[in-house]
Amino acid sequence: MVKRYHGNPVLTASDWHYPVHAVFNPGATRLEDGSTLLLCRCENHGGISHFCRAISKDGYTNWKVDTEPCLLPSPDSYPEELWGIEDPRITYVEEFGQYAIAYTAFGEGGPGVSLAFTKDFLAYKRRGLCMQPEDKDAALFPRRFKEGFALIHRPVTSEHADMWLSYSPDLKNWGRPSRILKARKGAWWDANKIGLSPPPVETAEGWLVFYHGVRRHASGSLYRLGVALLDLEDPSRLVRRGQHWIMGPIEPYERVGDVPNVVFPTGAVLAEDKDTIVMYYGAADSSICIATTTVKQVLEFLNSKENDCSLETGSDP
Ligand code: BMA
């Protein structure tokens, strides 16, 4: 169902015009002129991450990487960014004619969720922390629902790391949290932690939500990708959940790197055919890669009998 691009990895630290240690987990969007913009997470040689733009006309080749960062942590004004900004997810919000970026702000309190808005990915207006630590893996939906704006996020407690959805009337005050997807238990591929991957993809049947599932084992963690479907008008309602992962680390560039055995998509762009989903992912926390699938194939998979939503609570089938 998911095909890797033969030219992977498409971006590595050696493509940068200034020193960076690793580039991975990019936000992605299609610009008005049809080109694809990646907001790349770049880790410097101190371990602190910032964002830098890379643009390609066809979304696969000839990436033009900016000569300097476009968004740096700003701990003087935003102490929650002391140890960097990570894993941006981009949503175009028509109502504002702007892109919303939900990203992880890493500070002394732990990782939290911050929001920023931009028109051109050059000038940004920060809105600060919207979900207190420990919370991450967040993205805004592109439009308001009856209950207001909606954000998927992943708060962590000592017991749980599940996916939640919260609403806001003004993007400042967030409330009405509800758990939408639970990490499963025991031997499941998504037993220990789950979190949103790219922002939700709107389809006629509901919101496709790709998510990463983590399975801890004796020599570390395995990060794989799964998918679920949320109701179009009430995204806090789970409709279907895939039982099996749809992509896991197989290739050498996913198996070997700073954090081995990680595929971590954070961006998705719907191609002009309105069916192909081009996913941009971090491989082993070291490089940026591409994998594609289609809305049709993913919906067929989710609609198969084994993937009904009796699994919504993550109980064993
Ligand atoms: C997650 C995030 C990602 C990272 C992944 C694997 O918790 O921190 O940024 O890619 O772990 O290390």
Side-chain angles (χ1 to χ4, degrees), residues 24-25 41 86-87 89 104 111 134 136-137 154 193 212 214 221 223 258-264 266 282-286:
F24 54 112
N25 301 1
R41 170 179 172 189
E86 306 179 348
D87 302 355
R89 270 86 165 184
T104 303
E134 186 178 337
K136 53 161 69 173
D137 299 325
R154 204 281 305 278
K193 287 201 280 191
H212 57 271
V214 181
S221 293
Y223 278 73
D258 273 6
V259 185
N261 295 315
V262 175
V263 291
F264 203 88
T266 33
D285 282 13
S286 297

Side-chain angles (χ1 to χ4, degrees), residues 119-140:
K119 281 191 174 146
D120 53 11
F121 294 95
L122 292 171
Y124 296 83
K125 197 153 174 36
R126 279 172 162 92
R127 280 174 176 258
L129 211 54
C130 70
M131 291 291 160
Q132 69 191 48
E134 186 178 337
D135 207 328
K136 53 161 69 173
D137 299 325
L140 195 67

